[in-house]
Amino acid sequence: MSLDSTLVGRTFPATPPYRVSHEKVTEFARATGTPYAADGPVPATFPIVLAFAAMNDFLDAVGVDLSRIVHGEQKFAYERPIRTGDVLTTALTVASLRQIGGNDIIGTRSDVTDADGALVCSTSAVLVHRGGTA
């Protein structure tokens, strides 16, 4: 099933608030092999935790099974560093969509905002939705 091109430009509802805790950052750092100390900066790739939640919400909303997705690319652009104690939400927007060889190539942008609504960082991703049967 190909996705409808009218999704381009659509922003999906923000994720529930997520409190960045030392424990969650430590878990992430261990899982990714990223150095992290309690008094140090949050790893630069930590927003993937929030972007992944927003992506899953998007996929559920449009009826796409995660097992049909291949992750093609991920970028982060920061307005300010993430800090433990931050309460963040993420809203995903479909930035582009094209079909190649029966597959959907989906460009997304996820804006991570703090409790005051200020942009903390934006992530962009390219997702390949595999068409046909596996």
Side-chain angles (χ1 to χ4, degrees):
M1 163 188 91
S2 289
L3 294 176
D4 186 339
S5 63
T6 61
L7 288 172
V8 176
R10 183 172 164 195
T11 299
F12 289 79
T15 58
Y18 180 95
R19 179 171 298 280
V20 179
S21 68
H22 169 68
E23 293 77 21
K24 289 296 182 186
V25 176
T26 299
E27 288 174 12
F28 176 83
R30 283 186 186 138
T32 59
T34 305
Y36 171 68
D39 58 347
V42 171
T45 54
F46 186 79
I48 195 64
V49 172
L50 296 107
F52 189 72
M55 181 196 70
N56 280 326
D57 290 349
F58 156 68
L59 294 175
D60 287 346
V62 297
V64 171
D65 187 334
L66 179 61
S67 69
R68 310 246 3 117
I69 294 292
V70 175
H71 190 267
E73 179 178 290
Q74 187 76 47
K75 295 180 184 178
F76 302 90
Y78 277 88
E79 297 297 315
R80 70 160 176 86
I82 292 176
R83 298 180 286 266
T84 55
D86 278 342
V87 176
L88 305 172
T89 58
T90 304
L92 180 143
T93 299
V94 177
S96 63
L97 176 62
R98 59 193 170 113
Q99 282 80 32
I100 298 176
N103 300 307
D104 295 313
I105 311 301
I106 310 161
T108 66
R109 185 188 78 242
S110 295
D111 291 334
V112 180
T113 55
D114 64 19
D116 295 326
L119 182 64
V120 175
C121 87
S122 291
T123 73
S124 60
V126 174
L127 309 172
V128 180
H129 173 225
R130 296 177 294 125
T133 57

